[in-house]
Amino acid sequence: MDWFTERQSKGLSLSIGLKKKLFEGNSKFQKISVFDTIEFGRMLTLDDKVMLTERDEFIYHEMIVHPIFQMLKKCENVLVIGGGDGGTVREILRYKDVKKIYLVEIDEMVIEVSKKYFPNLGKYLNNKKVEIKIMDGAEFVSKTNENFDVVIVDSTDPVGPGEILFSDKFLKDVSRISRNIVSQTESPFLLKDFIKGYHRKLRKYFKRLFYYIVPIPTYPSGTWSFTIGTNENLKLKGKIELKYYTPEIFKSSLSIPPFYRT
Amino acid sequence: MDWFTERQSKGLSLSIGLKKKLFEGNSKFQKISVFDTIEFGRMLTLDDKVMLTERDEFIYHEMIVHPIFQMLKKCENVLVIGGGDGGTVREILRYKDVKKIYLVEIDEMVIEVSKKYFPNLGKYLNNKKVEIKIMDGAEFVSKTNENFDVVIVDSTDPVGPGEILFSDKFLKDVSRISRNIVSQTESPFLLKDFIKGYHRKLRKYFKRLFYYIVPIPTYPSGTWSFTIGTNENLKLKGKIELKYYTPEIFKSSLSIPPFYRT
């Protein structure tokens, strides 16, 4: 049996058993691969890092979307930065009052690959509410004159192309076009100092943060975090119950163990 | 760099980068190894499975002990099955009203190795409140005439020597000597069916269960579970705040995502 191995940190690696490789290509930005795995269904990797597996992607996608959406008073115009696989858009489309989703993905090949190999994610990108822009998310945000009810940063790691999406300048630009931002914020076990720094920047532009922790088996250290920044008076509420998300689970994920506090 | 690799399931492996091997021995029951690792401090493995690393063992040990102890009205006599590394005893000893801890460990070599290589765990086994019995935990429970405020099953996986500690007979025996049991109950991501079966057995002998989920980076799938069975009217309470455990964290860990419900 072949294995795909991701070096998650200096001394930690996760390996996933493979049935076969379904695709490998090099876009302008990164190496993109799709595998069929022994236990996790199909898996998408970018530069040899796990982006999603069919078996646990719902945890990530439910938890990046529903906490903020369940708190928003209004959610008509949404901006997703990254998210070319379509999973985040799939969850957003559960909200019938959403009128328009801009998806700004830097790498067109991610979208093509997802539509072909991950129909339960990619097909949602064909929805008529979705407008796809192939460009750099930070550049889009710095130039647009539109306003959004929320900006969702569904990015890769804060190294390489994803780095700018955690910068002071980007957050300032986001705060000009939206009162709400959600970002994936990496592993609190491996990158607590990064998260701490990001929160410090975020607080300059958003009055209140919701920092929450979610176990995601195929992500580095199995423990992931997300952060919402808001200038609205958001309140915990919500009724929706999905495979992972429930109002109670979101509330619980906001309890941060002392060891992980920023 | 050398790596230690644990095959966590058919198609999932975790590897931990090594500085060097400090010990390897074969006891009557299993292969025992101690490594110095690149990122996780020292690590104990049994039959090539990670039992603990210095960097994240506190999560496991705090969460197997404090939830039940924070709810107990009285905690004077405690029985620990397994737990030869001493971490569980360390956490129990925070409770000054504990008079006696029986530690029933089948493998004396685990205790010796822990005392030598993991002083921050093993040294607590020297406490005068601790009485160590080197024998099979199921046999001890079937024969003892003593009663315990709680029985803590700090075991290895439910295959091989650990299997009997999840059996109907064992639970029946425990219910004769204690009104409370806590057990580590494996990964809800990988072994949900096992947990479901165990809960079914547990309900035969204990009126009420508390099933809770905790992210532990070096354990299979990074998501772990524990289950308390009780015949007392236990209530959520508690004030203690540790590195991982807080009353709020325990309450949160009791929120089970629909996908993980048994």
Side-chain angles (χ1 to χ4, degrees):
Chain A
M1 183 166 82
D2 286 334
W3 292 83
F4 164 89
T5 295
E6 174 178 344
R7 184 82 166 260
Q8 298 186 331
S9 69
K10 214 168 49 173
L12 184 67
S13 290
L14 192 79
S15 301
I16 292 182
L18 302 178
K19 282 185 186 158
K20 66 175 185 175
K21 188 184 284 183
L22 301 174
F23 173 83
E24 183 172 299
N26 284 289
S27 73
K28 223 164 74 188
F29 303 96
Q30 53 207 344
K31 178 175 145 197
I32 303 179
S33 316
V34 178
F35 300 92
D36 196 9
T37 74
I38 301 288
E39 276 196 318
F40 291 83
R42 288 185 176 180
M43 173 170 73
L44 173 69
T45 67
L46 299 180
D47 283 342
D48 300 319
K49 287 170 186 299
V50 178
M51 289 300 116
L52 63 89
T53 79
E54 286 182 320
R55 186 163 165 203
D56 68 350
E57 57 85 8
F58 70 94
I59 304 177
Y60 176 90
H61 291 120
E62 288 186 10
M63 293 304 285
I64 198 170
V65 169
H66 298 292
I68 182 72
F69 272 78
Q70 290 290 313
M71 296 197 290
L72 282 174
K73 285 175 202 81
K74 183 168 90 73
C75 47
E76 293 175 354
N77 298 306
V78 183
L79 171 60
V80 178
I81 311 275
D85 56 68
T88 293
V89 164
R90 179 188 68 207
E91 296 303 318
I92 295 169
L93 286 168
R94 293 183 191 269
Y95 296 88
K96 299 308 171 203
D97 50 338
V98 167
K99 286 179 182 154
K100 188 88 185 170
I101 304 169
Y102 282 101
L103 183 99
V104 183
E105 166 63 59
I106 202 167
D107 192 343
E108 191 163 19
M109 198 189 275
V110 172
I111 293 171
E112 289 159 8
V113 165
S114 187
K115 283 183 175 174
K116 183 159 177 195
Y117 294 99
F118 297 91
N120 187 37
L121 295 100
K123 73 176 178 203
Y124 294 92
L125 298 172
N126 296 323
N127 189 289
K128 61 185 192 311
K129 291 181 177 178
V130 181
E131 182 162 335
I132 296 173
K133 299 191 179 287
I134 304 301
M135 65 181 289
D136 178 76
E139 197 190 326
F140 177 85
V141 164
S142 77
K143 289 182 177 161
T144 184
N145 288 315
E146 297 205 46
N147 279 281
F148 299 92
D149 294 311
V150 59
V151 175
I152 298 183
V153 183
D154 179 6
S155 69
T156 53
D157 293 341
V159 287
E163 192 174 354
I164 197 166
L165 302 177
F166 297 91
S167 69
D168 196 283
K169 164 87 167 63
F170 174 74
L171 295 174
K172 189 177 177 181
D173 286 341
V174 170
S175 71
R176 188 179 54 79
I177 61 168
S178 183
R179 296 203 291 165
N180 300 293
I181 182 173
V182 188
S183 189
Q184 74 82 8
T185 38
E186 303 286 317
S187 162
F189 188 77
L190 298 172
L191 290 180
K192 182 172 149 176
D193 286 345
F194 158 76
I195 300 169
K196 210 166 173 165
Y198 179 72
H199 285 176
R200 206 179 300 125
K201 284 182 256 180
L202 202 55
R203 275 192 201 96
K204 289 170 66 177
Y205 305 105
F206 295 89
K207 280 185 201 146
R208 190 168 164 213
L209 308 192
F210 293 84
Y211 166 48
Y212 55 104
I213 291 183
V214 182
I216 301 180
T218 58
Y219 275 20
S221 85
T223 301
W224 213 245
S225 75
F226 299 88
T227 305
I228 291 170
T230 183
N231 286 319
E232 285 187 43
N233 186 22
L234 296 180
K235 290 218 172 65
L236 294 185
K237 57 164 191 176
K239 289 180 191 170
I240 200 170
E241 181 150 318
L242 301 163
K243 279 204 285 180
Y244 192 88
Y245 179 92
T246 70
E248 198 54 43
I249 283 293
F250 173 45
K251 204 177 144 199
S252 297
S253 70
L254 288 165
S255 284
I256 309 295
F259 187 73
Y260 288 151
R261 288 181 192 158
T262 57
Chain B
M1 182 166 82
D2 286 334
W3 292 82
F4 164 88
T5 296
E6 174 178 345
R7 184 82 166 259
Q8 298 187 330
S9 70
K10 215 167 51 172
L12 184 66
S13 290
L14 193 78
S15 301
I16 293 183
L18 302 178
K19 282 186 186 158
K20 68 174 183 174
K21 188 184 286 182
L22 301 176
F23 173 83
E24 184 172 297
N26 283 290
S27 73
K28 224 163 73 189
F29 302 96
Q30 54 206 345
K31 178 176 147 198
I32 303 179
S33 316
V34 178
F35 300 93
D36 196 10
T37 74
I38 301 288
E39 275 196 318
F40 290 83
R42 288 184 176 181
M43 172 170 73
L44 173 70
T45 67
L46 299 180
D47 283 343
D48 300 319
K49 287 172 187 299
V50 178
M51 288 299 116
L52 64 87
T53 79
E54 287 181 319
R55 186 163 164 202
D56 68 350
E57 56 85 9
F58 71 93
I59 304 177
Y60 176 89
H61 291 120
E62 289 186 9
M63 292 305 283
I64 198 170
V65 168
H66 298 292
I68 182 73
F69 272 78
Q70 289 290 313
M71 296 196 291
L72 283 174
K73 284 174 203 83
K74 184 169 89 73
C75 48
E76 292 176 354
N77 297 306
V78 183
L79 172 59
V80 179
I81 311 275
D85 56 67
T88 293
V89 164
R90 179 189 68 206
E91 296 304 318
I92 295 169
L93 286 169
R94 292 183 192 268
Y95 295 89
K96 299 307 171 204
D97 50 339
V98 167
K99 287 180 183 153
K100 187 89 185 169
I101 303 168
Y102 281 100
L103 182 99
V104 183
E105 166 64 58
I106 202 167
D107 192 343
E108 191 163 18
M109 198 188 274
V110 172
I111 293 172
E112 288 159 8
V113 165
S114 186
K115 284 183 176 175
K116 182 159 178 195
Y117 294 100
F118 297 91
N120 187 37
L121 295 100
K123 74 176 178 203
Y124 294 92
L125 298 172
N126 296 324
N127 189 289
K128 62 185 192 311
K129 290 181 177 179
V130 181
E131 181 161 336
I132 296 174
K133 299 191 178 287
I134 303 301
M135 66 180 290
D136 178 77
E139 199 190 324
F140 177 85
V141 164
S142 76
K143 289 183 178 160
T144 185
N145 288 316
E146 297 204 47
N147 279 282
F148 298 92
D149 294 312
V150 58
V151 175
I152 298 184
V153 184
D154 179 5
S155 69
T156 52
D157 293 342
V159 288
E163 192 175 353
I164 197 166
L165 302 177
F166 297 91
S167 69
D168 196 283
K169 164 87 167 62
F170 174 74
L171 294 175
K172 189 177 177 179
D173 286 341
V174 170
S175 71
R176 189 178 54 78
I177 61 168
S178 182
R179 297 202 291 166
N180 301 293
I181 181 173
V182 189
S183 189
Q184 73 81 8
T185 40
E186 303 286 316
S187 162
F189 188 76
L190 297 172
L191 291 180
K192 182 172 149 177
D193 287 344
F194 158 77
I195 300 169
K196 210 165 172 164
Y198 178 72
H199 285 176
R200 206 179 300 125
K201 284 182 256 179
L202 202 56
R203 277 192 199 95
K204 289 170 67 178
Y205 305 106
F206 294 90
K207 281 184 199 144
R208 190 168 166 214
L209 309 191
F210 293 84
Y211 166 48
Y212 55 105
I213 292 183
V214 181
I216 302 181
T218 58
Y219 275 20
S221 85
T223 301
W224 213 245
S225 76
F226 299 88
T227 305
I228 291 170
T230 183
N231 286 320
E232 286 187 43
N233 186 23
L234 297 180
K235 290 217 173 65
L236 295 184
K237 58 165 191 175
K239 290 181 190 168
I240 201 170
E241 181 150 317
L242 302 163
K243 279 203 286 180
Y244 192 87
Y245 179 94
T246 71
E248 198 53 44
I249 283 293
F250 173 45
K251 204 176 145 199
S252 297
S253 70
L254 287 164
S255 284
I256 309 295
F259 187 72
Y260 288 151
R261 289 180 191 158
T262 57

